[in-house]
Amino acid sequence: MSDRIEHQEILTLLPHRYPFLLIDAAEDYKAGESIVGLKAVTANEPFFPGHFPGNPVMPGVLMIEAMAQAGAVLMYKTLDVRPDAATVFFMGTDKVRFRSPVRPGMMLRMPVSVTAARHGVFKFKGEVFADGVRAVQAEFSAKAVENL
């Protein structure tokens, strides 16, 4: 089994869609352990015209969301559930640090690892690297909740 998750599979694993789908693919998937989310940041991102005009910078909260989406892919695959059966909800963040701005044309690599998993709650540690430079680091948690 390949450890790479292509865009088409991401679309089957996450309920997110444009403009809020913030990962393109993933690699180095290890069930219950880790994943690396990938995103090509283009000049066409919908947030750039307003953040900031003439000086486009990806909002930090969206980088955290991109990491969380990578974590959600890891959870959906590890738990073997699909978005039509359960939704992975972001629960919180801790120890967030913004280190470097992300601009159009950069490639994001987001290694995310599980630090704990109990009773359906996963805790993660993650980072965002933009063209090899650390842009964000954070700890975060999420829970899979059955859909009604």
Side-chain angles (χ1 to χ4, degrees):
M1 176 158 72
S2 171
D3 65 351
R4 176 141 172 117
I5 303 164
E6 299 297 342
H7 185 70
Q8 281 306 115
E9 187 176 358
I10 295 289
L11 292 174
T12 69
L13 294 168
L14 291 180
H16 306 77
R17 293 297 180 264
Y18 178 83
F20 210 69
L21 179 61
L22 296 173
I23 65 171
D24 300 324
E27 61 187 15
D28 298 333
Y29 164 71
K30 294 179 184 85
E33 292 180 26
S34 61
I35 195 166
V36 177
L38 303 170
K39 175 168 180 50
V41 180
T42 72
N44 295 320
E45 304 292 346
F47 45 81
F48 281 141
H51 196 270
F52 300 98
N55 185 25
V57 176
M58 185 174 185
V61 295
L62 294 182
M63 289 185 272
I64 293 170
E65 174 64 27
M67 271 191 299
Q69 288 181 19
V73 168
L74 174 61
M75 287 180 68
Y76 278 116
K77 285 186 70 73
T78 296
L79 299 171
D80 195 26
V81 295
R82 293 290 182 258
D84 59 343
T87 301
V88 172
F89 288 104
F90 193 37
M91 294 176 63
T93 61
D94 197 19
K95 300 180 183 174
V96 177
R97 297 291 178 264
F98 299 103
R99 303 288 185 194
S100 183
V102 171
R103 301 183 185 282
M106 292 182 149
M107 182 66 179
L108 302 186
R109 215 170 174 283
M110 299 166 282
V112 171
S113 59
V114 175
T115 59
R118 283 192 327 160
H119 308 294
V121 175
F122 279 57
K123 293 186 178 184
F124 300 97
K125 181 182 271 190
E127 297 174 291
V128 175
F129 290 90
D131 291 346
V133 175
R134 185 180 326 164
V136 180
Q137 62 192 68
E139 295 177 6
F140 58 97
S141 57
K143 180 175 181 153
V145 177
E146 263 186 56
N147 294 341
L148 299 178

